[in-house]
Amino acid sequence: MLPYSLYLHIPFCRHRCAYCDFNTYAGLDELIPEYTRALCREMAYSAATSGERLGAHSVFFGGGTPSLLPVDSLEAILGSLDQSFVLAGDLELTLEANPGTLSLDYLGSLRRLGVNRLSLGMQSASPGERRL
Ligand code: SF4
């Protein structure tokens, strides 16, 4: 098995939940294209400075709310990952998602891009408890 698991942090959310300690921001979606480019540059830099292309058996998009990323951003990040790392043929590719951000079209695009695992965050199925 290739040795590494990669975690990519996506620090954008629709709302900032009061109980959350993650490094994430609401209302800054206009920075997503710039953040995507920075993430791609960082991966290329890591590959260039490690002296070899490191091998990964899993990639996890966490946040924040990675499912706020438009498909073209995900495509660019996955392209950079592929150039910068050796990815396992049976790569586990996870995207953390907020159920409210998902549509059938978006899920189809995730599948096309190779995402094979979703991590859905939900504190409660009761609207009253969620408001609380
Ligand atoms: S959606 Fe999740 S990551 Fe974003 S602020 Fe709420 S708990 Fe934190």
Side-chain angles (χ1 to χ4, degrees):
M1 181 190 277
L2 295 172
Y4 291 102
S5 300
L6 305 176
Y7 174 85
L8 305 180
H9 190 68
I10 308 299
F12 302 99
C13 287
R14 283 219 172 124
H15 309 284
R16 184 77 192 142
C17 304
Y19 53 82
C20 179
D21 284 332
F22 291 117
N23 179 19
T24 182
Y25 305 89
L28 292 180
D29 289 11
E30 77 275 7
L31 294 179
I32 287 178
E34 196 176 324
Y35 186 80
T36 298
R37 287 191 290 276
L39 202 50
C40 293
R41 278 198 304 275
E42 182 69 19
M43 285 188 277
Y45 176 78
S46 297
T49 54
S50 65
E52 58 174 326
R53 283 173 76 216
L54 302 174
H57 65 272
S58 77
V59 173
F60 189 101
F61 284 85
T65 307
S67 52
L68 285 179
L69 287 181
V71 173
D72 63 339
S73 290
L74 280 170
E75 218 158 10
I77 293 168
L78 290 169
S80 274
L81 266 171
D82 202 32
Q83 283 175 1
S84 304
F85 297 90
V86 178
L87 300 176
D90 60 349
L91 181 76
E92 182 182 274
L93 180 51
T94 305
L95 186 121
E96 205 173 1
N98 181 320
T101 64
L102 296 174
S103 67
L104 196 55
D105 271 1
Y106 190 77
L107 289 169
S109 298
L110 294 183
R111 192 177 182 112
R112 180 177 58 77
L113 291 173
V115 174
N116 51 26
R117 189 166 174 265
L118 279 181
S119 171
L120 291 174
M122 187 170 83
Q123 278 70 41
S124 170
S126 152
E129 285 178 1
R130 282 205 304 276
R131 273 195 300 278
L132 176 66

